[in-house]
Every structure is written in structure tokens, then in C-alpha cells.
Amino acid sequence: GSPIDVDTKNAVALRHLASSFGIKPLFHETTKFIKNDLNSDTAHVYLIEAKIFQNAKVVQAALHAIASDFRSAKMTALACLPPKSMVEILQSAHLKGMESEALSSKIASYCKCREEDLTADLLESMTTVRIMPRIAEQESLYYIHLVVTLGDESRGLLTSPTSSISNSSLTRRCLEQAPKLLQKVISNAGDLESIALKM
């Protein structure tokens, strides 16, 4: 028969098929293709496909590829991934080299794309103090909005300021940025007022 065209989208499925039916040439071809093709640009596709076909090795390779170059990862690619996969990426030992504020901004953008799929537990797992000890000032209100929307009062994200849990909670870290944000609002309002007086 005619040769099968192996590509990024079908490689994992074809490898699974080859493994299931003992088709060694196809298995070797797809394995070689995946090794050469899996990189930070294609890893999101491999992660999704490998999860479907329960291919742990490809899952780990894809997670490694995304986490190790997370700074450069495109939002269009990341937005394809479900929140559980994002948690795995953020908890990977290979996630390095991003400042906390920059990471919090990137995750806020991701959350805006996948807000309907978020739960309080997933949000908490993506924003632990270990992963992002500091929240970007411009994203602090959005994260508070998420906490309120997901209604996680019982888990400590909306606890009183004296609570030991809230000292390391997402809300607490966001509130630390509130004075800076408020100062900017007041400053901008003052600028607008002075402009209006001159007119």
C-alpha cells in the first residue's frame, strides 16, 4: 500500500496503533518522527495526544519541552491545554527562568482563555506561593475577581487577614499590590483633574 504520512497531529495515534498491532516498521518510523519533531512549538499538540493515548513517555517529554521554554510559549498554544495540564507544567521541575510577576501575567492571560474550565482547586494549584510568590500589579484585581467568582471561601483564599492560611493565599498576595494600584489610580485621577482645570 501507499506510505502513511506521519505528522505532528497523528504521530502519537499512529505509534499507539503500531504498538497495539505489532507493526514494527510503523512503530519505529513514528518513534523517530516524534523524537525529531517534539519541541517547544509542537509540544502542546503532543501533550494533548499523549494524554488521549496514555503515553506517559511522550507526556513527560512534552511537559519538559513546554516548561523549559515557558517564557517563549505562545498563548495560542497554551490556551489549547486544559487547566490540569497547565498545573502539571507549572509544577514541573523544568519550569525555570521566569520572574514571578511575568509568570503571573502569563497565567492570568491563560485563565482568561480558559475561565469556564477553572475550579478553585485548579486556580490554587496554578498560583501557589511556591510557583508565584509575587503577583503582577496589573493582574491583581483579575485574580481577586477569579477567587470571588470561583467562591473559594472555605479553602482559605478569602479568609480574614489574621488567618495563617491567608498569609500565603492568592488573595493576600494580590492585596499586597492594591496600595500600588490605588496610588496609580489616584495619581491618574489627579493628572486628569489638573488637565481639566487648564482647559
Side-chain angles (χ1 to χ4, degrees):
S2 58
I4 297 171
D5 289 327
V6 181
D7 60 34
T8 302
K9 291 181 179 179
N10 68 20
V12 175
L14 288 173
R15 187 176 185 273
H16 178 77
L17 190 70
S19 176
S20 299
F21 291 96
I23 309 169
K24 288 184 179 180
L26 181 60
F27 181 83
H28 293 312
E29 183 185 351
T30 51
T31 299
K32 184 180 178 181
F33 180 88
I34 292 169
K35 282 182 180 178
N36 292 330
D37 186 57
L38 201 162
N39 55 52
S40 57
D41 292 326
T42 61
H44 65 287
V45 178
Y46 282 106
L47 183 55
I48 292 166
E49 292 297 307
K51 290 273 189 181
I52 293 169
F53 293 99
Q54 299 179 340
N55 189 320
K57 284 185 178 180
V58 176
V59 165
Q60 289 308 310
L63 287 172
H64 185 169
I66 298 169
S68 60
D69 195 25
F70 195 71
R71 182 191 298 274
S72 303
K74 294 175 183 173
M75 191 50 60
T76 49
L78 295 177
C80 296
L81 301 172
K84 283 184 180 179
S85 293
M86 182 56 71
V87 170
E88 288 180 288
I89 293 163
L90 293 172
Q91 292 180 348
S92 168
H94 304 292
L95 183 72
K96 294 172 184 174
M98 274 196 85
E99 291 292 326
S100 181
E101 289 91 342
L103 182 61
S104 73
S105 291
K106 194 151 196 168
I107 296 307
S109 296
Y110 169 80
C111 289
K112 287 167 188 174
C113 295
R114 302 293 303 226
E115 200 165 317
E116 290 183 2
D117 302 315
L118 293 176
T119 65
D121 283 342
L122 288 166
L123 178 63
E124 188 175 8
S125 297
M126 285 192 284
T127 60
T128 65
V129 71
R130 184 187 67 79
I131 293 169
M132 54 179 77
R134 295 175 308 283
I135 304 298
E137 181 185 315
Q138 67 272 20
E139 303 298 350
S140 57
L141 291 179
Y142 174 66
Y143 278 118
I144 291 173
H145 154 76
L146 278 184
V147 171
V148 173
T149 303
L150 297 172
D152 199 23
E153 294 92 342
S154 62
R155 294 298 308 278
L157 290 177
L158 284 175
T159 52
S160 68
T162 55
S163 165
S164 60
I165 297 174
S166 75
N167 288 334
S168 62
S169 74
L170 175 58
T171 302
R172 184 75 174 184
R173 280 170 280 144
C174 289
L175 290 175
E176 285 171 2
Q177 297 289 11
K180 298 177 193 174
L181 204 60
L182 188 59
Q183 187 59 48
K184 278 191 177 178
V185 171
I186 293 168
S187 176
N188 289 340
D191 291 343
L192 288 172
E193 188 178 354
S194 64
I195 291 167
L197 289 170
K198 289 174 184 176
M199 291 176 72

